[in-house]
Amino acid sequence: GAGVSQSPSNKVTEKGKDVELRCDPISGHTALYWYRQSLGQGLEFLIYFQGNSAPDKSGLPSDRFSAERTGGSVSTLTIQRTQQEDSAVYLCASSIEDSKNYGYTFGSGTRLTVV
Amino acid sequence: SQKIEQNSEALNIQEGKTATLTCNYTNYSPAYLQWYRQDPGRGPVFLLLIRENEKEKRKERLKVTFDTTLKQSLFHITASQPADSATYLCALVTGGFKTIFGAGTRLFVKA
């Protein structure tokens, strides 16, 4: 597609439930990132995928969080046993391999509310 | 510890003036620095990138400076317009591809 697509745009879930957030990056972009943004906070790095390399999971806040990227394209971020502190906007971004000149292209995010 | 600081207070300026936003960092050695614009309910949009060996970069009404000695970047919007009102984020890229974002500064341009 023309841009990075994320779904759903909004998700309200009950504490303890699992959620899946989807990201469809720009075709041809080999790098994919997940960040989360809490109100008034900067973007918090979660995980980075680059081509067929092992992902950089160093930003995942707990083992309740996991992500996969199938076929080098679509990515799913899964949060198990959601907690209220997981409420945030989850942003996905993609870039061509060398993002130095082009920056990242972000989706509009998924606003997750855990009640 | 590593920190990126942007003014948390909103910046209010009059249309036509130059807006200057500041990004300070500590304990990083960034290879390059990026600036993004974010509107409410949207993801950040990439604006400009400056490398560690560049002092200044311009794009239309935008100018970015990068002082690795002061560990500071300044982002200028000249001849500001109400449509420039948004939150502006700075982001540092160290070795590799992990990018660290600041919390952003809100800019309001009054007509």
Side-chain angles (χ1 to χ4, degrees), chain A residues 2 9 14-15 19 25 28 31 35 38 41 45 49 51 58 63 67-68 75-76 82-83 102 105-106 111 113:
Chain A
S9 54
E14 291 181 352
K15 179 180 169 181
V19 295
Y35 285 83
S38 301
Q41 304 294 314
F45 168 77
F49 296 90
S58 60
D63 58 9
E68 62 178 21
S75 177
T76 303
T82 51
Q83 304 294 313
Y102 302 104
T105 302
F106 281 87
R111 180 174 297 278
T113 304

Side-chain angles (χ1 to χ4, degrees), chain B residues 12-79:
Chain B
N12 290 281
I13 65 166
Q14 197 67 36
E15 182 177 13
K17 301 291 187 184
T18 296
T20 299
L21 307 176
T22 305
C23 176
N24 294 300
Y25 59 94
T26 57
N27 296 326
Y28 282 112
S29 294
Y32 49 100
L33 187 148
Q34 301 173 342
W35 281 89
Y36 289 77
R37 169 185 172 138
Q38 187 173 24
D39 292 283
R42 309 300 298 270
V45 174
F46 173 70
L47 296 175
L48 271 177
L49 174 149
I50 187 166
R51 294 179 179 80
E52 60 179 335
N53 60 351
E54 297 177 318
K55 294 268 190 252
E56 182 180 297
K57 183 73 73 74
R58 291 176 184 260
K59 179 182 176 182
E60 297 172 354
R61 294 185 295 113
L62 308 180
K63 184 178 87 170
V64 172
T65 63
F66 193 11
D67 189 324
T68 55
T69 301
L70 292 179
K71 295 189 183 295
Q72 180 181 79
S73 175
L74 299 179
F75 177 81
H76 306 273
I77 307 176
T78 58

Side-chain angles (χ1 to χ4, degrees), chain B residues 73-93:
Chain B
S73 175
L74 299 179
F75 177 81
H76 306 273
I77 307 176
T78 58
S80 59
Q81 304 166 359
D84 295 326
S85 299
T87 297
Y88 291 86
L89 308 172
C90 73
L92 302 182
V93 185

Side-chain angles (χ1 to χ4, degrees), chain A:
Chain A
V4 176
S5 177
Q6 291 189 248
S7 61
S9 54
N10 279 285
K11 177 73 177 177
V12 179
T13 190
E14 291 181 352
K15 179 180 169 181
K17 300 281 191 188
D18 298 352
V19 295
E20 282 190 355
L21 312 180
R22 177 188 167 106
C23 173
D24 202 340
I26 291 175
S27 177
H29 279 194
T30 58
L32 186 147
Y33 313 79
W34 284 98
Y35 285 83
R36 74 176 175 183
Q37 187 174 33
S38 301
L39 192 62
Q41 304 294 314
L43 276 67
E44 176 188 1
F45 168 77
L46 297 178
I47 189 168
Y48 159 60
F49 296 90
Q50 172 57 49
N52 295 322
S53 302
D56 178 348
K57 303 180 182 179
S58 60
L60 295 178
S62 78
D63 58 9
R64 296 186 294 105
F65 288 72
S66 63
E68 62 178 21
R69 187 178 185 192
T70 54
S73 181
V74 172
S75 177
T76 303
L77 177 69
T78 301
I79 309 173
Q80 295 178 310
R81 305 181 303 282
T82 51
Q83 304 294 313
Q84 287 186 327
E85 61 262 28
D86 300 334
S87 297
V89 175
Y90 289 80
L91 290 162
C92 174
S94 70
S95 69
I96 60 175
E97 183 170 356
D98 181 0
S99 66
K100 295 182 181 62
N101 292 320
Y102 302 104
Y104 301 163
T105 302
F106 281 87
S108 292
T110 294
R111 180 174 297 278
L112 175 66
T113 304
V114 182
V115 298

